[in-house]
Structure formats: structure tokens, C-alpha cells
Amino acid sequence: MSLVKSTAAYSISNLVLKFGGVLLLPLMTRLLSPNEYGVIGLLMTISSLLTIVIGFGLYNPQNKVQSKYKNKKELGDYLSTQLILFLILNSFFSFVYILFINSEIGTKIYLEYGINYHELLLILILSIISGWNVIIISYFKMDRRYYFVAIISIISFSLFYGLAFTFITLFSDNVVSYILSNILSQIIISIFLSYKYIKLMSFSFNKNNAKYAIKMGFPVIFTELSGRVIEASDRLILAKFISMAEVGVYILASTGGRILSVFISGYTNSLYQYLYDDIRSKRVISSYSKYFVVITILVVLGQLLSKPLIPLIFPSDYTNLHLYFSLILPIFALQYFYFLDFYFHVSEDSKYIPIFSVFISVLSIVLNFVFIQKYGVYGAVISTYLCLILRFSIQSLWIKIKYDVNIKYINFIFLSLIQFLCPYIDNKNNLSLYSIITLCVILTATCIVYICVNIDEIKMVNNNDK
């Protein structure tokens, strides 16, 4: 399948899911108070962290094996080993997790955030099922069954929201109802996917396969945790210094901002496969660079449209939602930079990822403590931006030195700063027609400057394609 078709397959399904989720947010916010939304947001953040750890990055070595092994028996042996390894690792992890939340320290921590013990147990169950589903879905993606994955994703989405609205309406505990809806939808999808997936297995255990899975999978945990820790640390630290209701508004803005990931993940998930063919592909670099201009335009349009629309759609008790949404959109745009991790994975240099991830994660926690105490939500945005830009710059330089791939990171930083113009002007004075025209002129000028700077590279790539 071509780059355009595979991108379309991912993007259409993601568009339905993300855009559908955003459309349903007004209904959800009428059933959940800002405080309840804050608690659910924190629990889902914990679940996203657990899902990464529980999955142990096994999808990455699975992708490598899948592209390498054409023999069904060899692939079946690997998948069987992977399943046994997954069960062993998760049994141990669950034991440690339950010990921790039963400890005095663990109890003190979760009670401080208004979270209950049984909610944390449900989150563990949800994370295990989700971690398993990530591995299976990754297999079907690498098998280029994009439309199958798209249909499964839409079914899962429909099941979750259907159950969520039903349970929240019927039962008094809205937080538990939300989590149970998620668990049941994941279980139904898991049963269907596992049936097709397990049929591929030969039910054997190979030590070499297990060692390879751990070697290639473990560094991926740090890759994914880096982004999640940045996200989780700001929410958890914000909850210590501002009200849970305000945290709920911040998380709601983040949820709306995820619609941008439709245009990011759909493209990068399709693009990274071409790195397996040629890690120095100029087509990949050119496409990657040009697409960030598109993302910048989408961010500014989202910021401009959200100001008149948000007050009409959401309840009035979700105050400052527009401002938080405008600030968070550029942060979501920076998640585009995680594509650079694939250069290390494809080259089997995943060992470098933990270095970047641990450093940036620790820095994120430190900066969040420093800035959030003084500036609240603004501090969270500042610290997240600095961490993501620093990681991107370091990785770009490293990739240039090690793989001789030149990524013009200065262009990306310039475009990322442009994305903060709209909330800056809006915060200083209300957006007027003059302000909107000014932003459009700046954005147009940015595109022109970008094309002029990269004109030689664009011509070269176009000539090569011909």
C-alpha cells in the first residue's frame, strides 16, 4: 500500500475516533462535574503509564521479527514465546503494584488525590488488557491490514462511549462507571483480536526469542514513558497546587487537543515504515519537514475557531477552557518529534533511547515543580515545551552525527514558536479582526520563508521522485 493510501487508512479511522470523541465531550461534561473529570483524567493518566510498562515495548521487537521472518513456523514460535513472556512479566508487575497500593506510602499518595483503592485495581485490569491489545494491533498494522485495524478501532470507540453513557446514567459512582465501560469495551475487542492472533502461534518457548524481545522491547518503555511522564507529571503536580476542578478543565482541554494527533499519528505511522527500506531516505526527511508546516496551520486555525465555539458548546462551569486549549495545541504539535525515535529503533540502536528519556523525564518533573508553583497552568506549558524542544534538538544532532541524516531542527523550533502567537495575543487583548488578519499574514509569511529556505531540497526530492 502506498504512503498516501496507508496514511488515509490511519487518518480516516483516527479522525472518526478523535473527532467523534471531541463531539461527545459536551455530552460527557454535562454528566460529569469538573472535579469528577479531573479524577478520571488522573486515573486515565495512570492507566496510560501502566499500559506502557505492562506492554514492555514488545510490539517493537515483534515488528522487527514480523518483517524479518517470512516462515510462519518461525513467526509462530516467536509469538508464542512473546505471549508467555507477557504473562510472566505481568504476573510479577501486578504483584508489585498491589503491594505498593496496599503500603502506607501508596495509600497516603492516592488518598491525597482523592482516588480510591478499588479504582486503582480497576485501572490495573484496564492497563493489562490495553497493553495486550496494543501488541496485537501492532501486528495487524505491520501486516498492512490498515482497514481491519481502522474498523476495530471504531468498534472499540463505539462500545466504550455507548457503555459509558449507559453506566453513568444508571449508576451513582460516575468515576467507576467510566472505568468499567473502558474495561468491558477493551475485553470485547481483545477476545475478537486474540482469536485471530493466537491462531498464528505454535505454543512453544524459545529462550533466544525471549532475550531478543526483552533487549529490543525494554528501551521502548523509556521512549513512550518520556512523553507520558511529561504529561503525567504536570497533571499530578498541578493537582497539588490548583483545585481538582481546574485540573479537570486542563485535562478536558488536553482531551480536545488530542484531535491534532489524528494528523500526526496517521502520517508518522505510515512514514516510519519507509525507514526500514532506507534510513537516509531524503524523501522521508523532506516529507517530515514539510508536514510540520501543515500542522502549524492546523494549530493556528484550531486556536482561532475555538474562541467563539467553546463557550457555545461546553457548560459554563468549565471556565478558562478556551485559553487552556489554545496553549495545549502547540504542545500536542510537538509530539510530532517522537518520530525521530524510529531512527534508533530501525538501526537497532534503541539503547540510546533510555538516555534521552530518563534525562528529559527527570528534567520535566523538576521544571514542573519550579514553574507550576509560580505560574500554574502556564508553568506546565512552559516546562513541557522546553523539555520536548530540548529532546528534539539533541536527537536531531545525534542522528546527524551517527546516521548522517540532516534534520533542520531550527526550522521546526521557529514554526513551533509561531504556534504560540495566537494565545499570546489573546491573553494580552481580545482577538479582533485586525489580530486575526495579522496572524494570517504572519502564517503566510512563515510558509513562504520556509519554502524559500528549503527550495533546493524540495526541488531535489521532486526530481528524484520523477
Side-chain angles (χ1 to χ4, degrees), residues 253-325:
S254 299
T255 305
R258 290 185 189 281
I259 195 169
L260 190 63
S261 64
V262 173
F263 304 96
I264 293 176
S265 62
Y267 194 77
T268 56
N269 282 338
S270 300
L271 194 62
Y272 90 89
Q273 297 177 43
Y274 291 84
L275 291 180
Y276 283 100
D277 299 326
D278 180 12
I279 196 173
R280 295 180 178 84
S281 171
K282 287 184 171 59
R283 179 191 179 192
V284 170
I285 291 298
S286 178
S287 299
Y288 180 69
S289 301
K290 288 185 286 187
Y291 197 70
F292 196 63
V293 178
V294 176
I295 292 173
T296 300
I297 295 171
L298 292 174
V299 167
V300 175
L301 287 175
Q303 291 166 334
L304 292 173
L305 293 174
S306 65
K307 186 174 180 64
L309 293 179
I310 284 179
L312 298 175
I313 298 172
F314 292 93
S316 58
D317 50 347
Y318 284 83
T319 56
N320 293 323
L321 182 56
H322 157 66
L323 177 59
Y324 293 172
F325 179 75

Side-chain angles (χ1 to χ4, degrees), residues 129 155 159 163 183-193:
I129 301 168
I155 292 173
L159 281 171
L163 291 170
I183 291 174
L184 287 176
S185 64
Q186 289 293 324
I187 287 175
I188 293 170
I189 293 301
S190 183
I191 291 172
F192 179 73
L193 290 174

